Amino acid sequence: MSQYQQDIDNFATLKAAQNGTWEGINPEFAARMKVQNRFKTGLDIARYTASIMRKDMAEYDADSSQYTQSLGCWHGFVGQQKMLSVKKHQGTTSKSYLYLSGWMVAALRSEFGPLPDQSMHEKTSVSALIEELYTFLRQADARELGDLFHKLDDAKKNGGDVAAIQAEIDNYETHVVPIIADIDAGFGNEEATYLLAKQMIEAGACCIQIENQVSDAKQCGHQDGKVTVPHEDFLAKINAVRYAFLELGVDEGVIVARTDSLGAGLTQKIPVSTSEGDLAAQYNAFLKTTDVAGVEDLTEGDLVLKQGGKLVKPERLPNGLFRFKDNTGFDRVVLDCVTSLKHGADLLWIETEKPHVGQIAEMVNAIREQVPNAKLVYNNSPSFNWTLNFRQQVFDAWTEAGKDVSGYDRAKLMSADYDDSELAAEADEKIQSFQADAAREAGIFHHLITLPTYHTAALSTDNLAKGYFGEEGMLAYVRGVQRQEIRQGLACVKHQAMAGSDLGDTHKEYFSGEGALKASGEDNTMNQFDV
């Protein structure tokens, strides 16, 4: 017996036990509403999606071609439309996640208005967006299942294949997928991190990404001025997130430990070393110092450390921050990553200054010498100029191979003059294969673009505004938007249905029977799209 039919029978039994007081309740309608609300709470979602991520991680370990992907979404509708498109074009939501970007929360979701990516926005806006995203994804499920229920009614009425449609209902693939959620640097001390992590998990997050910057001095990973914290401070926050997962019963919750050390040249404080070579001592060994022979080498307020049997003075800036030695970023990244994985993190995030498979692979290989199954979440960032970066990579490779590059100016390779060139074509091929190449060669399990829908919203709005307020007038919308929605089969062309009008009509019919006042009659203009 199908699960759907079993639910009908269970509700029929429950109705019969009410001594005739539930005569207005149809067991099949109740079963449909139950199917349309598979996930009752955010914790149901977190547990379900955590198991998906764990399965995907194991499959990637066995076969690096099985990497996963996501796009950053700043509104529930954007996330919903993304997953509808993925399912429509790929035939499945498998290996496709959502990414919740702290950058986009700051820029688009704060009550202060647009803010830079410096953890200045309300921390609760992060969990609010998680809940919103899953509300829209669950509504996408309800809408599609509603269409299946109408198909089932038609099959019953007209002698169709009822069993086949019931099988579709029982085997329906949800739009609810894992969200990798950005908690920035934890929004305060470890207790603040724990409290926010709990709220995010309760909203549905199965995966939380946290970075090793100073919380109150956090900067975007692609900007200057980044300040890291000692490992002990960062590990306390990893512990806080893990405790939040365990307290809420999400035992398979995933933690992504992000290091900004490749681009961070400063630290806020010097940790206390209690034994030679301990974690604090390893961190302090990267500090930029000068030797101290005696008290005459010191000025008022200077600090002195004992390192390697001698006294040294760490370089301190006027703002009190300490500087790291030049060219230590690589080694600090490796230490950060190994330490995080050995103390509870599941995945790594290395923020780089360019998308270069070789650079990423070099770091991952060094990490894997100590943690063989180390794998990354990687930011395919819009902060990179992908066209220029890859054209320059091809230019450099051609130069090293002795190929003639006299027809190209390396500094001006972004120029549209090169768009149809051989070099540009090869660069585009490398961009196209970047994710597969990096998954295979550089240990990247998950590829994401942090803020793509920020840019697509701006671009599509610019194109529409240019035509609509120009000579095209209404044709700009009709030709550029609505006609394309129809031609490409976008469900949201029937925006009333997408917003829940048809679903509401169905519910009204459940509740009121033939007396229901429905919006989907013959005068509904949405019927014009049934062509």
Side-chain angles (χ1 to χ4, degrees), residues 121-258:
H121 55 281
E122 307 86 349
K123 64 177 70 175
T124 53
S125 58
V126 182
S127 51
L129 179 53
I130 296 169
E131 183 177 7
E132 178 181 292
L133 284 162
Y134 280 128
T135 297
F136 274 79
L137 293 180
R138 290 161 68 192
Q139 192 256 16
D141 284 356
R143 189 186 63 84
E144 285 195 354
L145 283 163
D147 291 341
L148 285 175
F149 296 145
H150 287 306
K151 282 179 60 178
L152 182 62
D153 289 339
D154 289 341
K156 289 179 178 179
K157 182 178 179 180
N158 301 311
D161 193 342
V162 172
I165 300 171
Q166 284 192 341
E168 283 189 70
I169 294 168
D170 283 333
N171 297 310
Y172 178 79
E173 183 181 36
T174 178
H175 293 89
V176 170
V177 296
I179 288 179
I180 296 177
D182 185 0
I183 200 172
D184 282 7
F187 286 91
N189 61 24
E190 57 268 42
E191 172 69 3
T193 301
Y194 155 75
L195 292 172
L196 179 55
K198 274 184 63 177
Q199 197 173 75
M200 293 167 68
I201 297 162
E202 288 169 338
C206 72
C207 178
I208 293 177
Q209 164 218 329
I210 187 166
E211 61 201 60
N212 69 337
Q213 289 193 48
V214 175
S215 183
D216 61 358
K218 180 257 190 306
Q219 295 277 16
C220 173
H222 292 280
Q223 293 184 317
D224 206 354
K226 294 183 289 296
V227 184
T228 63
V229 297
H231 294 94
E232 294 86 350
D233 292 21
F234 188 53
L235 296 179
K237 292 189 175 182
I238 289 178
N239 288 339
V241 175
R242 181 62 66 200
Y243 274 114
F245 274 126
L246 295 175
E247 176 183 339
L248 295 171
V250 186
D251 297 348
E252 292 186 297
V254 178
I255 299 173
V256 180
R258 168 176 150 177

Side-chain angles (χ1 to χ4, degrees), residues 480-492:
V481 181
Q482 189 180 81
R483 192 177 298 163
Q484 295 306 312
E485 290 178 307
I486 296 170
R487 298 285 186 261
Q488 296 179 40
L490 267 68
C492 73

Side-chain angles (χ1 to χ4, degrees), residues 32 59 63 100 120 137 200 243 246-247 270 282 309 374 382 390 392 399 454 482 489 530:
R32 291 179 179 186
E59 289 177 357
D63 178 1
L100 187 151
M120 296 164 61
L137 293 180
M200 293 167 68
Y243 274 114
L246 295 175
E247 176 183 339
I270 297 174
Q282 293 177 66
F390 276 83
Q392 289 181 339
T399 301
Y454 178 91
Q482 189 180 81
D530 294 330

Side-chain angles (χ1 to χ4, degrees), residues 74-143:
W74 52 272
H75 191 278
F77 177 74
V78 176
Q80 178 197 64
Q81 294 304 302
K82 182 199 122 174
M83 293 315 303
L84 285 170
S85 295
V86 168
K87 193 173 179 183
K88 180 178 74 171
H89 294 296
Q90 305 300 322
T92 179
T93 60
S94 177
K95 311 295 184 188
S96 300
Y97 302 170
L98 293 181
Y99 180 67
L100 187 151
S101 161
W103 191 103
M104 285 207 287
V105 172
L108 298 170
R109 301 297 301 241
S110 173
E111 292 184 10
F112 291 101
L115 292 173
D117 184 21
Q118 296 173 355
S119 290
M120 296 164 61
H121 55 281
E122 307 86 349
K123 64 177 70 175
T124 53
S125 58
V126 182
S127 51
L129 179 53
I130 296 169
E131 183 177 7
E132 178 181 292
L133 284 162
Y134 280 128
T135 297
F136 274 79
L137 293 180
R138 290 161 68 192
Q139 192 256 16
D141 284 356
R143 189 186 63 84

